[in-house]
Amino acid sequence: MSEYIIDVGKRHIKEINEEIQEAAKQGKEIHVVNTLSRHNLGVGLPAGAKLTFEGSVGYYCGGLNVGANIEIERNAGWACGEGMSKGHITIGGYCGMSCGAAMMGGTIHVKGDAGPRCGVAMKGGTIVVEGKIGYQSGFMAHSGRIIALGGAGASCADALWEGEVWVAGEVESLGVDVNVLEPTSEEVAEVDAILDPLGLTDSSRNWRKMVSGQRLWYFESREASAWLMI
Amino acid sequence: MCGIAGRIVGGNGVLGRNLVDLMDAQEHRGADSTGFAIYGPIRDNGYVLRGMGFDKTKIDSDLADFENVLRDNGSDYLNNPDILTDENAHYCFRMEISDPKELIAWVHDADMLSDRIEVQSCGRSLEIIKDIGGASAVADKHNVRDMVGTHGLGHARLATESSVLPNASHPFWARPFSDVAIVHNGQITDYFTWRKKLERKGYRFLTGNDSELIAVWVSDQMKSGLTMQQALTNSISSIDGVFTYMIANTDGIGFAKDRFAMKPLVVMDRKGDLAMATEEQAVRRIFEDEGEVTNYDGPSMTALWGVGNRSIAA
């Protein structure tokens, strides 16, 4: 099936998104060009939709995704895939701040590095970052899993509620209330099963799995200093 | 939420037009007011002043008093001041003056009139143009697109901490030091603590805008003899709040970001031809094609960019 080309340019974002939605409804494979790093492209895409973005996109691309397969050729701005519940987003380059913020399901695959607070407040799903995850990644995540193959910035897994941050490589520093665990072979197999379809399995990795220390679950005045994030 | 921008023209760009484009692309981040800091050709002597008076029915008496202060300080107009009025109560001015005997003393005296007429920039090169309204409206009114220069800053304001007043717009001049301007995106949470401290040292605040604190704070650092790099680094541990701010002088542009890394900065650098903005899509108005983009996303970051072969760190 041939690709349906949508040109972004300087058109109103609502008009572009309506065109994307209409083409998705008709089951077309969509190729979006001339993106100019514009915001809010491809928000709220339906299950089964298939989209590629040429070049870089701005904020909130693929947000509220309910099952579309989205591929971004280069970089994404803030909060790519925010609030998504299903589907798959691939970012070819760098993914900006708050990638996968508050997502509930599905997978985000970043081929480059991710910015600060990757997976902030996520409630499910998986974020795989081939590079390094930024400052304070996993901040207040409720559930789900972040997997970083190229290390993590400072304050990693800060104030996790539940959920897991897996890091292979150097971790600059840990956030507040983090327990670092050696994963069991069963758990590693589970992560490898996620990485395998992406062609990213590597048995030589030295994993660290970070989970909540659960001290912040209840406020204790004598531990108030732990609540001072910076 | 505000939007900021910086531009160092290395190629054939027109500074004014480029800064207006950068701010037009970010108008959704705040259209309460828009401002520009333009670094034009550097004079050997004399200063160009930009500013505003708050009651256009009193232009003549304001200017007469202002002229008296100039003469008391051994300075005078080099030509007739340009005055711009519209339906608003305030008026804007541009003046060229000869060197006062002592710049700091003159600024002190001129600021005694600041409840009526406020100097908003003073420079051998710098001109700050700011007004209420979006990028296009301000650019049209003040003819910003045709302004030429080497580098400059832009700001779109969404007023969150203080009133929408024409003089509470950015950029802010780091008075009384000529040719230093700042733009800020964020909130300063220890504004009142710092303001009291700096007022006790004799500094004047002309607005209730928390961002003005950065300009005054930077002045205090410069007075202590610190370099721009030292001031930028110090600000991260000294000032509380969320901020990404840019500071410019005749040599270039610097920036600093807070410890919590809340406010973005995107930079495209093509061999010294630079565009910087809060949002990548604004930078793409200058460099439309895909290129190497640097996201200054981490906590506690600073950077300096010099103009041409001028060194800014020295």
Side-chain angles (χ1 to χ4, degrees):
Chain A
M1 189 170 58
S2 67
E3 279 182 332
Y4 182 77
I5 309 277
I6 294 178
D7 190 296
V8 175
K10 286 168 185 158
R11 287 196 294 154
H12 197 285
I13 208 75
K14 188 176 173 190
E15 187 188 319
I16 300 157
N17 274 333
E18 280 172 356
E19 196 183 339
I20 292 175
Q21 290 282 353
E22 186 55 37
K25 209 184 286 174
Q26 292 168 17
K28 291 172 176 160
E29 268 190 38
I30 304 160
H31 187 53
V32 185
V33 300
N34 195 19
T35 51
L36 295 176
S37 310
R38 298 274 307 270
H39 300 329
N40 308 317
L41 288 166
V43 170
L45 289 175
K50 208 165 163 2
L51 253 95
T52 51
F53 288 98
E54 182 186 81
S56 299
V57 296
Y59 296 179
Y60 311 118
C61 182
L64 305 174
N65 181 11
V66 289
N69 192 312
I70 300 167
E71 198 175 323
I72 298 154
E73 187 192 17
R74 294 192 72 224
N75 306 330
W78 278 16
C80 182
E82 173 160 3
M84 74 185 262
S85 53
K86 227 177 134 193
H88 191 104
I89 302 179
T90 308
I91 297 106
Y94 175 82
C95 191
M97 174 127 87
S98 305
C99 156
M103 69 189 279
M104 293 168 283
T107 304
I108 297 177
H109 172 201
V110 182
K111 293 189 173 174
D113 293 340
R117 286 177 276 274
C118 170
V120 57
M122 69 191 284
K123 296 168 180 69
T126 308
I127 301 174
V128 177
V129 179
E130 293 188 35
K132 182 177 171 181
I133 48 174
Y135 168 71
Q136 217 174 32
S137 282
F139 184 50
M140 296 191 81
H142 291 50
S143 184
R145 196 187 268 127
I146 299 167
I147 304 165
L149 309 183
S155 205
C156 182
D158 194 276
L160 268 183
W161 199 248
E162 287 194 64
E164 300 170 2
V165 181
W166 285 58
V167 180
E170 194 195 339
V171 176
E172 276 178 33
S173 69
L174 293 175
V176 175
D177 193 27
V178 181
N179 274 357
V180 183
L181 305 175
E182 184 87 14
T184 65
S185 55
E186 288 81 11
E187 288 170 332
V188 172
E190 205 180 302
V191 165
D192 279 344
I194 295 166
L195 296 178
D196 190 41
L198 305 174
L200 297 172
T201 38
D202 178 354
S203 58
S204 68
R205 282 196 189 100
N206 198 1
W207 287 111
R208 263 174 295 179
K209 174 186 162 189
M210 279 151 274
V211 298
S212 171
Q214 303 187 2
R215 276 197 305 141
L216 297 181
W217 283 18
Y218 312 98
F219 182 72
E220 289 275 359
S221 56
R222 64 176 176 276
E223 291 187 356
S225 62
W227 290 71
L228 295 171
M229 315 271 180
I230 52 172
Chain B
M1 194 162 86
C2 294
I4 60 176
R7 174 89 174 104
I8 296 178
V9 181
N12 298 316
V14 177
L15 181 64
R17 186 171 299 277
N18 289 168
L19 283 173
V20 173
D21 280 346
L22 284 163
M23 295 326 302
D24 184 59
Q26 301 187 104
E27 193 173 289
H28 56 276
R29 299 189 68 91
D32 289 334
S33 60
T34 309
F36 304 94
I38 306 258
Y39 287 84
I42 304 174
R43 291 161 177 73
D44 292 330
N45 45 55
Y47 294 99
V48 57
L49 310 182
R50 287 272 189 167
M52 58 182 63
F54 302 113
D55 184 352
K56 67 182 171 191
T57 64
K58 300 202 169 70
I59 293 176
D60 290 342
S61 58
D62 286 355
L63 290 184
D65 291 346
F66 195 80
E67 191 173 351
N68 285 335
V69 172
L70 271 180
R71 291 198 172 141
D72 288 348
N73 283 274
S75 168
D76 205 345
Y77 296 132
L78 292 174
N79 41 40
N80 280 335
D82 295 323
I83 306 291
L84 194 58
T85 56
D86 60 7
E87 71 280 8
N88 293 303
H90 71 281
Y91 63 93
C92 302
F93 66 78
R94 180 183 186 277
M95 301 168 178
E96 291 179 30
I97 61 164
S98 58
D99 284 359
K101 271 187 300 228
E102 258 196 79
L103 185 68
I104 291 173
W106 165 71
V107 172
H108 175 269
D109 292 352
D111 279 350
M112 292 300 162
L113 303 172
S114 64
D115 56 333
R116 291 158 51 199
I117 181 166
E118 180 181 309
V119 181
Q120 291 168 342
S121 75
C122 165
R124 299 265 193 234
S125 159
L126 167 69
E127 295 188 41
I128 291 177
I129 300 97
K130 54 182 176 182
D131 218 321
I132 46 179
S136 275
V138 174
D140 289 347
K141 178 175 169 184
H142 297 273
N143 212 12
V144 178
R145 288 186 189 87
D146 293 335
M147 292 184 73
V148 292
T150 48
H151 61 296
L153 303 173
H155 188 274
R157 180 171 186 232
L158 179 79
T160 55
E161 315 297 294
S162 61
S163 315
V164 179
L165 293 168
N167 67 327
S169 323
H170 300 224
F172 285 102
W173 167 40
R175 65 193 335 107
F177 296 96
S178 71
D179 296 292
V180 182
I182 72 106
V183 287
H184 166 227
N185 174 20
Q187 291 82 29
I188 306 301
T189 42
D190 57 354
Y191 166 73
F192 288 102
T193 315
W194 265 115
R195 179 171 173 156
K196 276 179 206 149
K197 256 190 240 177
L198 289 163
E199 280 176 339
R200 279 198 294 274
K201 284 180 151 185
Y203 292 97
R204 274 177 81 91
F205 284 73
L206 304 185
T207 76
N209 187 322
D210 58 332
S211 306
E212 186 186 9
L213 174 86
I214 296 176
V216 180
W217 187 90
V218 163
S219 298
D220 189 45
Q221 299 282 304
M222 289 176 63
K223 199 178 159 198
S224 316
L226 297 187
T227 63
M228 192 191 281
Q229 178 61 62
Q230 287 168 323
L232 289 167
T233 305
N234 281 358
S235 70
I236 295 167
S237 52
S238 303
I239 299 175
D240 197 23
V242 290
F243 54 81
T244 288
Y245 72 88
M246 285 196 275
I247 172 168
N249 62 19
T250 50
D251 294 333
I253 299 174
F255 109 98
K257 185 191 302 244
D258 70 294
R259 289 167 285 171
F260 207 56
M262 284 304 289
K263 301 292 182 182
L265 188 74
V266 179
V267 178
M268 282 177 95
D269 181 353
R270 304 225 163 141
K271 295 179 182 158
D273 192 16
L274 280 118
M276 318 129 179
T278 303
E279 298 183 4
E280 183 172 316
Q281 55 133 357
V283 173
R284 296 285 297 276
R285 292 271 186 108
I286 308 299
F287 303 119
E288 279 206 6
D289 49 322
E290 292 275 343
E292 197 62 39
V293 175
T294 309
N295 284 275
Y296 286 85
D297 270 351
S300 308
M301 296 184 102
T302 64
L304 287 174
W305 298 278
V307 175
N309 52 10
R310 293 180 210 162
S311 166
I312 193 168

